[in-house]
Each structure stands twice: as C-alpha cells, then as structure tokens.
Amino acid sequence: MTATVPPPPVLQPGGRVLTAASDTAVPGRRGWLRSRTVAAVLAAVTVVAYLVFRTDGAADSSDAAAFRFFDSVRDWVDANRDTSPVFLYGLNYVRLGVRLLVDGVHAALTGLGFAGLVAAVAAIGAVLAGWRTGLLALGGFLAFGVLGLWEQSVDTLVLTVSAVLLSVLIGVPLGILAARVRWVGATLRPVLDVMQIMPTFAYLAPMTLLFLIGEPAAVIATMIYAVPATIRITALGIGEVSPTAVEAATALGSTRWQLLSKVRLPMARTTIALAVNQTIMLALSMVVITALIDAPGLGQNIVSALQRVNVGAAFDAGLAIVILAVVLDRITTNAARRTRVHRTDQQRRWRWIGVGVALVAAVLISVIKVNPEDLPGYSFAAPVNDLVGWIELHWYDATEGLKNGISAGVLDPIETVLVTTPWWLFVAAVAAFGTLISGWRAAVIAAPAAAGIAGLGLWQHSMQTLATVLVAIVLTMALGVAIGVFCARHDRLAAGIRPLLDAAQTMPSFVYLLPAVALFGASRFTAIVAAVIFAVPPVVRLVERGLRDVPPTVVEAALSAGSTPRQLLWKVQLPMARGGLLLAANQGIVMVLAMVVVGGLVGAGALGYDVAAGFSQRELFGQGLAAGLAIVLLGIVLDRLTQGFHHSKGPRR
C-alpha cells in the first residue's frame, strides 16, 4: 500500500503559508468563519444582557450555608478525634506511620553527619550520574554550610525524601493501573485534575484538621501535591511501551505478571525515572510552603523573612533551595540518561554495587566529625538588601505610576464588570463560549463549576479574584511570548536564559513576594507581579518549543520566497505554533491560580485572603475552606474553557 504524500506548502507573496488544510480548504475556512460569527453574536448578546440585568455588586455573605457546613465538619472532627473509629483505626495510624517514616529518614541522614552526608551524596551522584554530577553535588552540599543553613537544608531534604518515597510507593502502582485498566484511568483523571488545580495553600487547612500541625501533615500535603505527576507520567510510560514487544512476549507464553515485570516496566524505566524527577521538584516546592503548619526547614527562614520584608535573608534561603533542587534534578536526570546507555544486567548490577560501596564509604567518613559552622561563611543578605534599598529610593515614582496606572486603568474596570455581572449570566456565558471553544463535554463541566462558585456564597470575592487572574494572565502571555520568541530566534540568548528559567521554576512561590512587596508595597498589583514572575518561565519554554518545532522546510521555503524576519514570524511561525501558544496560555492560567492564595498574604484580598484568614483564624475556618473550593472551581472553569485549543487547528464544534 502506497503512502499518501501531502502536497508541499504554498507561499503567497509576503511569506504566508498555505497548505491543503489551511485557507485553501474552503469548507474548513467557512466553518471557521461561521464559528467566528457565532462568537461575535454570543458576545453581543452577552453585552446586551449585562447592560439590562447588571447588579450593584452586593457584598458576600458572612454566614453562608457552605461556611456553616465546613465549620460543622471541623467541630465534628475536634469532638471525635479520640473516639471515632475513623481516627482510632485509620487516620491516627496514618499519622503515626508517616511520623515513623520521617523519623527514620531524619535519623539516617543526620546520623551520617556533615562529612558523611556530603560524601554520600557526592559518591552516589558520581556513580549513578557521572563524575561531573558528583562534583556538583559535593559543591552544592558544601554551599549549605557556607550559607549557614546546613540544619535547615537537611530538614528540608528529610521532608522531601519522605514525601517522594510515599509518592512513588503510591503513584507508580496507580499509574500502572491507570494505563492498564481503562476505568481506573477514567476515574483518576478528574481527581488528578482537581489535585493539580487546587492551590497549594488549600491543602494545608484540611491536613491540619485531620493530622494536626507538624511534619506528618506537611509530608502528606506534599505527597498529595506531588503524586499526580507520578501517576500521570508513569501511566504515560506504561502506555507507550511498544505493542510489538508485548505481543512477542505474549506469543512466547509470558503471564501478565511477567509482561509487567520483564517487559513493560523495563521498557518504561526512563519515563518512570522522569516521573521521580518531577515528583522531587514538586515536593521540594511544596515542603517550603508547609512551614506555615510548623514544618521545619528552609521554609521557616523564608516565612520569617516575609514577615520582616527582608529580601536578603529570603535570598539566602531561596538560593539554598535552588541548589538542593539542581543537585537532585541533575542526579535523577543524568542517572536516567545513563540507564539508557547501560542496558545489560551486568552493567546495572555493577552500578548498584558502586552505590553500596559509596554508602559504606560514607558511613566510614562519618566518623570524622566536621562542624559545618567551622566553614568560612558568607551571606548575600547585606548586598541584596542594599540593592533593594537603592531600587526603592530611585524607582519609587516609576513603580508607583505603573501600579496605579494598571490598577485604575485596567484592573478596576474589569473587576467592576465581573462583580456586577449576575451569576446566572456568567454561568450561561461559560456554557455558551465553552461549547464553542472546547466542545460540549468541556462546557458540561465548566458551567456547573461556575454555578458552584455562586452557591458557595463568595461571588464577589470570586469575581475580584478572576479579574486579578485575567490581568496576570495577559501580562504573563505578553512577556512570556516575547521572551519565548527571542529565545527561539537566538540560540545564545536561549542558552543564557535557561539557567534563570530553571532557577525561577525551582524557587518557592514565597520568594517572589519579597521583591514584589519591596517594589510595589502590599497591594493587588503586587500579587499580580509575583504571579507573573512565577508563571512566565513555563510559558517561555512552551512558546520557544512551539516555534522551534515548526518544520525547517517550511521556514526555508518562506525565506526563499522573500519573507522578511517579521513576516516569517507573524505569517509562518506563530500560526503554525498556534497549538503550543495556546497550551502555554493554559499552563499560564494554572500557574497564576497557584499564586492566588500566596498573593492574599500581601494585600491581594478576595479569595486568597479568605483562605489565608481561614487557615489562621478558627472562626473563619469554614469561609477559608469554601474559598479554597471556589479557587478550585474557578481553575476548572478556566482550564476547561482553554483545554480545547491545543487539541485541534480550529474551534471545536
């Protein structure tokens, strides 16, 4: 059977690309024009309905039914913690088991001492990932002592390792089941969506309610935040195993267990290693936030610096977190890469023997008592604070003008429109535009989620949060697309900015608040700035990747037809990278929502403040939990409205 070769792209004057699937395909073009017409009609009807039915934007209820329900749940838990079988034979044992795990990991790491732990990490890095990675690990762990943050760094490592162990033990089997059993995958998918959309702060209140404050609650919250990545990536790896290899093993009489243990898992080893890598990164970013529920580690330093607006002190702790993340990332990534090279059982056996020898050597070295405080210390706090002070002094007029201009000219009008929109009109608009953009299946989920926001009694705060999120998304996309385009067109710029993007994605969300507060004070705009800084790195990566994935033959054809660099970008590369750009927008929304609650700590108000207040004030617990649920529902609405973009060339019908 002869394969059908698609016709080559045709270039119009000016460099615009036409293919058989683009504007020359008249039916597809007519469908796209019809969709645009329908969108214009829907927009006009929505505007008219708003002008006719708009409200005065009354304040939210202080005693909504949802608040009372969550307060009653808290009261029941407090009254039955020591008598209910749910706690006596369930949750209390979970808490005890996690406590034993944390204590065991802590004893193992601290028992090695400073010299032993540094030697162990360096040796394991060298054996599994190469001597360069070993040197990086050596220098990184020595840096903790130089910064004067050795104990805090080890505490953070203990919580991270404990959460990752639980995530792998739970996530890998569930990922295998999700890939092999269809109904398991279908059941887990919406659960994982909610777990990933839910802002990190929203995990803390339920965890402290069920497991009290301290390390067990911190590890469990971190595991819940990180395990979706383990499940999804493991399922992806198992699902992508070659059917030919499975059929061959089945033909030779392999049982299901043999297929799993000797075919599927070995062939998915690299993908599962990637799952572990991503789990480590997510866990490390979450354990810092758990400092708010009395978890030890570097997060305590950052929270203290935030309270004192001490950017320099936060920089030291943030730098230590970045170093720890880079070391763990390079060890796991390079180890997975070397696994693809060392394929024979004998080579793998020698690697694990090397790990054992490294650990024995580390135990012997631990006999040498070295105090990390004896190392020459250095802190970036003073120079960083001096720089921040200079910026505050010389940039005050510019930063105040920017803050007031965007707040009064953009944020306030959007917030006014959303707050005065009747809830039923908002739900109807979500249903209509969701059907047009992403299909009726997405609309069926998005519309009830929008109605659920109204049912929680937090409509005004939800719309205020939505206004902040929309402005942050626009700024994120404008900045992210611009930087991504420059990186895609200039290799040296891309190589130079990559370490900054790595550090930005590793840095905990708290750290972004400090420079934003120093520049703009406590305000809604401060939260927007912090959200933009947090969300821009993944957008830049996706935009750059989308532009680089444009076929070189198309680019060469456009250049040979006389396209200028501007025409090449606007008429060839950006249209063909449309899927990547819209996926970047989708991910930017999720990242901005993750900063909503954090922004509530610096004057953002609305749902973020409600969650933070409910977490710290017992009488506002129900309202805080309802606000966390409202953020989740808001995230579902925005996610479903944008998810259809990157699945097709045009709007879904």
Side-chain angles (χ1 to χ4, degrees), residues 258-572:
Q258 289 172 330
L259 281 175
L260 177 63
S261 61
K262 296 186 178 181
V263 179
R264 297 186 191 276
L265 285 177
M267 296 188 70
R269 182 184 291 111
T270 302
T271 306
I272 293 175
L274 174 62
V276 175
N277 175 271
Q278 292 301 302
T279 303
I280 291 173
M281 296 298 103
L282 291 171
L284 189 56
S285 66
M286 181 65 186
V287 295
V288 178
I289 296 175
T290 58
L292 293 174
I293 56 175
D294 203 30
L298 294 167
Q300 295 283 356
N301 296 71
I302 294 178
V303 171
S304 175
L306 178 63
Q307 293 172 343
R308 295 180 286 114
V309 195
N310 189 332
V311 180
F315 185 87
D316 283 346
L319 180 60
I321 293 170
V322 170
I323 292 172
L324 181 59
V326 169
V327 170
L328 296 178
D329 174 69
R330 293 298 182 267
I331 290 177
T332 53
T333 301
N334 293 337
R337 186 179 297 115
R338 287 165 65 90
T339 298
R340 291 197 295 267
V341 178
H342 299 127
R343 295 180 181 273
T344 66
D345 292 338
Q346 184 177 4
Q347 288 173 322
R348 296 192 186 101
R349 190 179 301 112
W350 277 110
R351 291 182 69 196
W352 288 113
I353 291 174
V355 172
V357 172
L359 291 177
V360 172
V363 172
L364 295 176
I365 294 175
S366 66
V367 177
I368 304 173
K369 300 300 180 182
V370 178
N371 190 346
E373 296 179 358
D374 294 336
L375 295 176
Y378 183 79
S379 173
F380 291 92
V384 169
N385 285 332
D386 290 342
L387 176 62
V388 171
W390 184 90
I391 293 175
E392 288 178 336
L393 179 63
H394 293 85
W395 291 12
Y396 178 80
D397 293 337
T399 55
E400 280 295 299
L402 179 63
K403 178 182 71 175
N404 295 333
I406 292 182
S407 297
V410 179
L411 186 57
D412 289 344
I414 294 176
E415 182 178 304
T416 300
V417 170
L418 290 174
V419 168
T420 56
T421 298
W423 70 267
W424 57 265
L425 178 59
F426 181 80
V427 173
V430 167
F433 285 100
T435 302
L436 182 66
I437 296 171
S438 298
W440 66 268
R441 292 182 179 85
V444 166
I445 298 175
I453 295 173
L456 290 172
L458 290 167
W459 181 253
Q460 184 183 60
H461 283 186
S462 298
M463 293 301 99
Q464 291 171 343
T465 298
L466 179 58
T468 302
V469 169
L470 292 177
V471 173
I473 289 170
V474 171
L475 293 176
T476 296
M477 291 305 299
L479 189 59
V481 170
I483 298 175
V485 167
F486 277 106
C487 289
R489 304 184 74 176
H490 303 282
D491 292 338
R492 290 184 178 178
L493 176 63
I497 206 172
R498 191 170 296 120
L500 297 178
L501 296 178
D502 290 340
Q505 286 191 279
T506 305
M507 196 83 73
S509 52
F510 275 162
V511 177
Y512 298 119
L513 293 177
L514 291 161
V517 170
L519 289 173
F520 301 101
S523 66
R524 295 173 299 168
F525 186 72
T526 304
I528 291 175
V529 171
V532 169
I533 299 173
F534 183 66
V536 158
V539 173
V540 171
R541 290 184 185 277
L542 288 170
V543 171
E544 180 188 357
R545 187 72 270 154
L547 293 176
R548 289 185 182 275
D549 285 342
V550 174
T553 53
V554 176
V555 175
E556 292 172 2
L559 292 174
S560 63
S563 298
T564 64
R566 179 183 178 84
Q567 291 170 332
L568 177 66
L569 174 65
W570 287 99
K571 297 186 177 182
V572 179

Side-chain angles (χ1 to χ4, degrees), residues 138-163:
L138 175 65
F141 272 63
L142 288 175
F144 299 148
V146 173
L147 291 171
L149 297 170
W150 173 254
E151 292 185 3
Q152 296 89 333
S153 300
V154 173
D155 287 337
T156 300
L157 180 61
V158 168
L159 295 179
T160 302
V161 171
S162 302

Side-chain angles (χ1 to χ4, degrees), residues 24-397:
T24 58
V26 177
R29 179 173 174 78
R30 287 176 180 173
W32 175 242
L33 290 175
R34 283 198 300 269
S35 298
R36 296 182 66 179
T37 302
V38 172
V41 172
L42 285 176
V45 171
T46 303
V47 171
V48 172
Y50 168 76
L51 294 176
V52 174
F53 297 105
R54 63 182 175 181
T55 65
D56 57 359
D60 291 334
S61 170
S62 59
D63 190 32
F67 305 170
R68 296 195 300 272
F69 171 76
F70 289 126
D71 283 335
S72 66
V73 172
R74 178 205 60 200
D75 294 338
W76 182 90
V77 170
D78 290 342
N80 294 273
R81 187 183 303 277
D82 298 326
T83 58
S84 173
V86 174
F87 287 92
L88 292 178
Y89 305 109
L91 296 178
N92 289 347
Y93 278 102
V94 172
R95 184 173 185 273
L96 177 61
V98 175
R99 164 60 65 186
L100 293 175
L101 174 63
V102 173
D103 290 343
V105 174
H106 186 271
L109 295 184
T110 56
L112 290 173
F114 175 74
L117 184 55
V118 171
V121 174
I124 291 174
V127 172
L128 293 181
W131 64 269
R132 291 185 178 87
T133 305
L135 290 178
L136 175 66
L138 175 65
F141 272 63
L142 288 175
F144 299 148
V146 173
L147 291 171
L149 297 170
W150 173 254
E151 292 185 3
Q152 296 89 333
S153 300
V154 173
D155 287 337
T156 300
L157 180 61
V158 168
L159 295 179
T160 302
V161 171
S162 302
V164 169
L165 287 175
L166 287 177
S167 298
V168 171
L169 289 175
I170 296 172
V172 171
L174 285 178
I176 294 171
L177 280 176
R180 301 298 304 140
V181 183
R182 181 173 299 178
W183 70 265
V184 174
T187 303
L188 284 176
R189 193 171 300 115
V191 176
L192 298 178
D193 288 343
V194 171
M195 291 170 68
Q196 290 190 296
I197 292 173
M198 186 178 292
T200 52
F201 267 67
Y203 291 113
L204 300 183
M207 290 304 102
T208 54
L209 178 65
L210 297 176
F211 302 103
L212 305 178
I213 63 172
E215 295 170 339
V219 170
I220 294 172
T222 302
M223 185 268 293
I224 294 174
Y225 179 68
V227 77
T230 315
I231 297 172
R232 289 187 187 276
I233 300 176
T234 300
L236 176 65
I238 297 295
E240 289 184 343
V241 171
S242 172
T244 305
V246 175
E247 292 173 2
T250 304
L252 293 174
S254 299
T255 64
R256 289 186 177 182
W257 173 252
Q258 289 172 330
L259 281 175
L260 177 63
S261 61
K262 296 186 178 181
V263 179
R264 297 186 191 276
L265 285 177
M267 296 188 70
R269 182 184 291 111
T270 302
T271 306
I272 293 175
L274 174 62
V276 175
N277 175 271
Q278 292 301 302
T279 303
I280 291 173
M281 296 298 103
L282 291 171
L284 189 56
S285 66
M286 181 65 186
V287 295
V288 178
I289 296 175
T290 58
L292 293 174
I293 56 175
D294 203 30
L298 294 167
Q300 295 283 356
N301 296 71
I302 294 178
V303 171
S304 175
L306 178 63
Q307 293 172 343
R308 295 180 286 114
V309 195
N310 189 332
V311 180
F315 185 87
D316 283 346
L319 180 60
I321 293 170
V322 170
I323 292 172
L324 181 59
V326 169
V327 170
L328 296 178
D329 174 69
R330 293 298 182 267
I331 290 177
T332 53
T333 301
N334 293 337
R337 186 179 297 115
R338 287 165 65 90
T339 298
R340 291 197 295 267
V341 178
H342 299 127
R343 295 180 181 273
T344 66
D345 292 338
Q346 184 177 4
Q347 288 173 322
R348 296 192 186 101
R349 190 179 301 112
W350 277 110
R351 291 182 69 196
W352 288 113
I353 291 174
V355 172
V357 172
L359 291 177
V360 172
V363 172
L364 295 176
I365 294 175
S366 66
V367 177
I368 304 173
K369 300 300 180 182
V370 178
N371 190 346
E373 296 179 358
D374 294 336
L375 295 176
Y378 183 79
S379 173
F380 291 92
V384 169
N385 285 332
D386 290 342
L387 176 62
V388 171
W390 184 90
I391 293 175
E392 288 178 336
L393 179 63
H394 293 85
W395 291 12
Y396 178 80
D397 293 337

